[in-house]
Amino acid sequence: MPAEPPVESPRSLADAYGLLTDGGAAWRPLAGGTDLLVQITGELGPPPERVLDIWALDELRGINLGGDELVIGALTTYTELRQSALVGELLPALAEASATIGAAQIQNRGTVGGNLVNASPAGDTLPIWLATDSLVVLGSAGGERSVAALDFFTGYRETARRDDELVLRVRVPLLPRRRVRFRKVGTRRAQAISKVVMAVSWHTGEDGAWIDTRVALGSVAATPVRAGATEAALDGQQPVRAAADAAVTALEAEIQPIDDVRSTANYRRLVAGRVLRRLIREEGGW
Ligand SMILES: Cc1cc2nc3c(=O)[nH]c(=O)nc-3n(C[C@H](O)[C@H](O)[C@H](O)COP(=O)(O)OP(=O)(O)OC[C@H]3O[C@@H](n4cnc5c(N)ncnc54)[C@H](O)[C@@H]3O)c2cc1C
């Protein structure tokens, strides 16, 4: 077990930024700790040299409406997402996803920002940010910037965040009449890391056809991904059997799942197709 790293607990965002810019070894922010404390022994990679406990930064809390956006603070926990009337009304798929994460203890501590920066390809909220064209807001002493969720994941467990930045919040555009669906498949329905996790969003046109379709998945590549060919197969189509067949064929061809301890590539490919087909069938009522 490595020596316990030094911990600082700033009381304001300004103080946190001050520490993050002071150079030296990188600070590892500590939010709920449900990922970081698993890594502290060093068995899963380099342990943190210095820990910046951000739990007291209330600037990173809250779920609010900002114009035509739902704005979710980085320190928002899964329990808060499940209990939020705004999320329940405007993005119920996110409440649904939150209910599948760990158990009550993890949902009480695990946060939106931690799920983003941990950047596991199996992170359950991540396909939702991709499917809704959400923006990740990063802050540092130099100011704030917004990065499209699609550009945030730059490689296996790598993100666009710089060492001197904190994730502050996620901005979810609210589009009238857009629907978002979520589905996770794990070993069992509770306390399981996903084998495949999917979020799909679309608008329904006058003729019942899907428009602006987004299909986002986790656990089928090194990062959470959008399935562009699958989206193209669905766009402009009504949710009928032939459209589902074409979309499933496209999806199975374009994802690149791997064999690992949790599942096989073949199973993941098959299940991803089944999940998509069922979702289209439910929407089409066939
Ligand atoms: C038993 C168990 C079950 C789990 N089940 C699931 C599951 O079903 N689905 C799932 O997706 N995950 C699961 N997880 C993983 C974990 O709970 C989530 O990823 C959670 O959202 C992490 O949030 P946190 O606040 O605890 O992050 P922390 O552990 O505090 O931090 C995680 C990483 O993010 C960084 N970080 C955190 N917040 C910020 C910020 N605001 N700005 C910059 N960097 C930041 C930290 O430095 C660290 O690198 C599970 C974990 C455990 C231990």
Side-chain angles (χ1 to χ4, degrees):
M1 179 87 176
E4 197 173 301
V7 180
E8 288 283 350
S9 303
R11 308 304 296 180
S12 73
L13 196 50
D15 288 349
Y17 287 159
L19 288 163
L20 284 166
T21 46
D22 82 350
W27 289 95
R28 291 285 298 282
L30 174 76
T34 62
D35 279 315
L36 193 65
L37 291 183
V38 176
Q39 297 159 16
I40 210 128
T41 61
E43 290 161 295
L44 300 174
E49 287 179 47
R50 301 194 289 181
V51 170
L52 189 72
D53 169 14
I54 60 172
W55 194 251
L57 301 182
D58 287 337
E59 297 98 321
L60 274 56
R61 293 208 149 78
I63 303 171
N64 297 296
L65 264 184
D68 51 3
E69 291 179 337
L70 183 62
V71 183
I72 301 174
L75 283 177
T76 304
T77 65
Y78 300 114
T79 299
E80 288 165 341
L81 291 172
R82 290 185 70 180
Q83 293 174 347
S84 161
L86 275 179
V87 172
E89 182 192 338
L90 300 169
L91 194 56
L94 181 58
E96 220 180 299
S98 303
T100 72
I101 293 178
Q105 297 92 328
I106 297 297
Q107 290 174 16
N108 285 341
R109 288 292 296 190
T111 65
V112 161
N115 207 224
L116 276 162
V117 177
N118 190 55
S120 160
D124 284 321
T125 62
L126 311 182
I128 293 196
W129 311 132
L130 293 189
T132 53
D133 296 321
S134 293
L135 297 167
V136 179
V137 183
L138 294 151
S140 68
E144 294 187 10
R145 64 185 178 118
S146 291
V147 177
L150 194 57
D151 300 326
F152 187 72
F153 305 102
T154 51
Y156 179 67
R157 289 181 176 271
E158 285 175 7
T159 74
R161 170 189 169 258
R162 297 193 314 259
D163 281 347
D164 66 336
E165 287 178 315
L166 291 174
V167 171
L168 304 181
R169 63 192 89 93
V170 180
R171 294 165 47 199
V172 187
L174 294 172
L175 307 177
R177 300 194 327 278
R178 179 181 63 193
R179 269 178 64 68
V180 185
R181 295 279 313 269
F182 170 86
R183 181 80 205 279
K184 163 177 172 175
V185 177
T187 305
R188 50 186 186 264
R189 295 198 67 156
Q191 278 283 39
I193 303 293
S194 62
K195 294 170 189 268
V196 171
V197 54
M198 183 185 296
V200 179
S201 80
W202 71 95
H203 294 85
T204 304
E206 298 286 314
D207 59 354
W210 285 15
I211 307 168
D212 291 334
T213 310
R214 306 271 187 269
V215 179
L217 296 104
S219 292
V220 298
T223 62
V225 290
R226 283 259 307 270
T230 310
E231 293 173 356
L234 282 167
D235 247 349
Q237 305 295 321
Q238 295 180 356
V240 296
R241 196 182 297 265
D245 288 344
V248 169
T249 303
L251 184 65
E252 288 178 349
E254 75 176 318
I255 57 176
Q256 305 291 330
I258 56 164
D259 292 317
D260 67 10
V261 288
R262 282 201 290 277
S263 195
T264 64
N266 277 345
Y267 178 83
R268 288 187 160 114
R269 188 172 279 111
L270 191 72
V271 155
R274 292 271 170 93
V275 167
L276 183 64
R277 175 183 295 282
R278 178 188 290 192
L279 197 148
I280 298 167
R281 177 160 52 80
E282 285 169 1
E283 293 297 325
W286 43 277

